[in-house]
Amino acid sequence: MTRPAPTPAPTTADGRGHRPAPWVRTRLRAAPLTVLLGAALAFVAVLLAAALPRAVDRGADQALRSFLHDQGPGPTSLSASVTSRGGRMTPQDLDTVLAALRARTGGAFRLDASGPVHGARGVKASNLATPGLDRPEAVDPRLTLVHLPEAAAHTSLVAGRWPSGGEPGAPVPVALSRSASETLKAPLGTVLESTPSISGTLRAEVVGLYDATDPADVYWTDLPCLTKACQNRTTDSLPKVYWQTAALVGADGLDRIGAWGEGAEYFWRLPVDTGVLRADLLPGVSREIASFVTGPTASGLSAAFKRPDLHISSRLPELFKRAEARQQGAAPLAAIGPAGVAGVAAVVFCLAAALTGDRREAELRLLMARGGSRRSLVRRLLGEGAVTVLPAAALAAWLAIRLLPTPRLTASLVAATAVTLLALLAFPVRAFVLLSAPHGPRPRRRLVAELLVLAATAAAVLEVRRRGVAPAAGLDPLLVAAPLLLALSGALLLSRLLPALVGALARAAGRRPGLIGFLGLARAARGGGGRGRPSVLPLIALMLAVTTGGFGATVLGSVDTERLQVARQAVGGDAQIAAPAGEALTPELIRAANELPGVRTPVAAWVEEDDAFLFGTDRGSPQVRVVVVDPVAYAALARTVGRGRFDPALLAGGAPGTPLPALFSGDLVARAGDQAYRLRVRGEELQVRAAAVIDGTPALPGSGAAILVLPAQPAVALTPRISTPNRWFATGSVDADRLEELVRAGTPAATAEQVLVRTSAATVAGLAADPLQHSAGRLFWAAVAGAAGFAVLAVLLTLMRAAPDRAALLARLRTMGLRPRQGVALILAEALPQALVAAVGGGLVAAAAVALLGPAVDLSALVGAQVPAGLRLTARPVLTQALGLAALVAVAVLAEAAISGRRQISTELRAGDQR
């Protein structure tokens, strides 16, 4: 028996065999729009995933550098010093130590381009007894001698010569700044004599005058008045003003500094370049700086130079700890937004996979029936996805790296890879599940999963409330996960309630004329596509978006509120004018300030901070600070500022012969009473009693001292000396520029520059200028925008998933007389209930998240000052997020219904009903 000859392969006209078309190319050509939409979705998701970590890194680096820059060059430098008690040093020794110090840098940190500063200076300043020098209050000026090897590079000689030479016993040659020479009235050639001391009378001759090239240069930081004469005050009980300055000596005058200044200090200041520090490398830099200060580096330098008194100090370790604490305090709050957008994006990928699975289920089952295996089909689907997803993901990751340059790549690449895998595997996994052996409904499995989510949510909330936020641990996963778990639990609960709620609405609509509302609500109650209930995925997406947006907006709103409160307590209201010590504000200035536009609750006060004592308390005779104000206006100011609230009626009374009612701070008396106390103010005594106990006063912001507040009219009658106010406070929208202009115009020129003008708006702007806060705010709003976009996409994907079934219904109804406008109304009635219920539910869950998690949230890092922990629940941020997303979803649904509804009907009518 012979075998039949095999059937030859079909050939084409040119004789070549016919080969099947490649799977991937065929599928991509069959649905080009779907391919483009899938690539666009992967591109956007990967771009966000790769960009968010890089934005966080850039914000952390910028915040660290700005924080250190604001501290100034002194605290951010390494300062080394030895004294002449351990032996004198030559100019060569100074250079040798500097070279050794510089050789130990360059590892984890480097020095600033401004360069090190080194030299020698006197330990103390000597009083000058030279006749003819300027003495503002008959106090001798004081002079310090300083040697700076690089001074010539930062100054210009304007008269005379640079100091050099000088025989023993002769005056030491010095160079004085021209400004100091003019202030002290010490021209070129003046011989400056010190007051007699143990070393005798010392003399210095001014042989040169110089000007600093740039007085604001960091080179002059921590150097004692070398560019001008400084005005200081003595430390006596009655402080007096005197001049203090410093003069430069040459290298050959180095040995004479010690005699002039009761010892010499040799110093080296190495400014650290804070502009290149990175937040992720801060621990290594901190360890190396600590080694310089008290570690092996410091010990090695001391041993190398045989100077056990070599002392190296820096405030950088302390500043690094503060910077890390700030970053760790802001990290959990800044991560809530990105976590929310990640959850919504994951839901969108699941919905897209479900939509694609519904559309291609028949095709995949046909291939299975023709001999295909699940493994081969999943492998081919992976090939389809790789051709679509991988190029888009690679382009998105490259674009994120190019647009947001930062040295760190790991977090960005990990996030981009995770999203790429999700985009790549979502549909193949869905197809694998669809092609698996069919199982009956398993309600218990879903119930168990929902109960597990509820248990995890309760555990997370209880743990956060029990221990609070853990700032020492940096990013607190519980605080980030708790709002998301609350949103997920809310979505699961709504998914159980929604069918019953919408079904009740459908039954109510069925009793009214017209079928559009009833049909739409009935479909919304049971879900499209033959499902028994609405899909929970769109609910989860919308709830995540609204909850994280509402919670984050509440955080930022509380930050603004707390910042304003801090500013008001620091200023004493919204505006303050303070006269210099011993001076008063003119009545004309106070009247003009009261009449400024926007001024509310103006209060003129007399404040005594130095010469007031209270007798008769349990603490003896403590020094107190006295505030004399009008009770009514001051009570309104205290209510606005939120400090020192009281009933103004308590300060009424004070008849002659009776103690004057006063407000006492809690550290003076425990409670109010009729006991009389003696108050001595500037030599005059008053009898006072505690009318109430207060927690502070707006007139003395931040003061922890004992405070007394007296009513103005009775106090002035008893002590007329305090009738002229020296402080002015007000609330309202006060223009700082107009207020300063008013002060300049209404104050004598001699004291105008010493009058302090402050506004809460300027203080708020200063607190809000922190890049750490800007970075957290930008990150949150970017995440909110991304989450809203993905949530709208989730709703649209849900509409598209139900589109075939809905199109068939619309086609049948169209044959029965349905008008196009009614078709659009039916689509809206089907899609909007779920979106509106999710928006309302998300707003309620956001409010619940604020109430449950708010007490554990510390806003100090974002406010810019220490504030009590806790969030303030306000309706506006939550309503803005909920209503905004609901409106956005409604517009998207309306646009989709108007654009695609008619096309679906026409297509269905042409194709015929095959169902």
Side-chain angles (χ1 to χ4, degrees), residues 38-46 345-346 348-350 352-353 356 381-382 384-386 388-390 392-393 415-429:
L41 178 60
F43 175 84
V44 173
V46 174
V348 168
F349 278 115
C350 293
T356 308
L381 295 179
L382 283 174
E384 289 183 34
T388 304
V389 172
L390 293 183
T417 302
V419 174
T420 302
L421 289 176
L422 178 61
L424 187 61
L425 298 177
F427 176 55
V429 170

Side-chain angles (χ1 to χ4, degrees), residues 188-273:
L188 194 67
T190 302
V191 175
L192 304 172
E193 294 185 354
S194 68
T195 55
S197 63
I198 298 176
S199 303
T201 300
L202 305 176
R203 296 182 300 165
E205 181 183 0
V206 180
V207 299
L209 301 177
Y210 65 86
D211 284 336
T213 305
D214 181 10
D217 191 350
V218 296
Y219 180 84
W220 304 107
T221 301
D222 297 335
L223 294 175
C225 307
L226 274 168
T227 60
K228 64 179 182 179
C230 304
Q231 189 180 82
N232 290 341
R233 289 179 177 268
T234 62
T235 57
D236 305 334
S237 57
L238 295 176
K240 295 182 179 180
V241 174
Y242 68 91
W243 294 111
Q244 181 170 344
T245 190
L248 294 173
V249 301
D252 47 9
L254 187 60
D255 292 341
R256 306 180 68 174
I257 294 178
W260 186 278
E262 299 183 18
E265 179 189 45
Y266 306 100
F267 65 91
W268 300 264
R269 177 165 58 83
L270 284 71
V272 174
D273 188 358

Side-chain angles (χ1 to χ4, degrees), residues 659-670:
L660 188 65
L663 305 178
F664 281 54
S665 59
D667 51 358
L668 287 176
V669 295

Side-chain angles (χ1 to χ4, degrees), residues 487-498:
L488 181 58
S489 299
L492 296 177
L493 181 62
L494 270 183
S495 69
R496 294 283 186 177
L497 298 178
L498 187 61

Side-chain angles (χ1 to χ4, degrees), residues 347-348 350-352 354-355 358-359 498 523-524 527-529 531 533-542 790-806 827 830-832 834-835 889 893 896 904:
V347 171
V348 168
C350 293
L351 277 171
L355 172 63
D358 291 347
R359 297 292 173 87
L498 187 61
R523 286 177 55 82
R531 291 181 293 274
R533 61 169 61 92
S535 174
V536 72
L537 290 179
L539 275 175
I540 293 176
L542 291 170
F790 280 120
V792 172
L793 184 58
V795 174
L796 294 179
L797 287 174
T798 305
L799 288 174
M800 293 175 64
R801 191 178 181 187
D805 185 57
R806 184 174 61 246
I827 296 175
E830 176 186 349
L832 286 183
Q834 186 183 50
V889 169
V893 171
E896 196 276 341
Q904 291 175 358

Side-chain angles (χ1 to χ4, degrees), residues 41 110 116 139 145 167 180-181 207 214 218 279 282 294 414 441 498 509 531 582 637 718 864 915:
L41 178 60
R110 70 187 189 192
V139 179
L145 298 187
E167 299 296 332
S181 172
V207 299
D214 181 10
V218 296
L282 200 56
T294 57
V414 168
L498 187 61
R531 291 181 293 274
L637 177 68
L718 294 174
R915 294 168 180 79

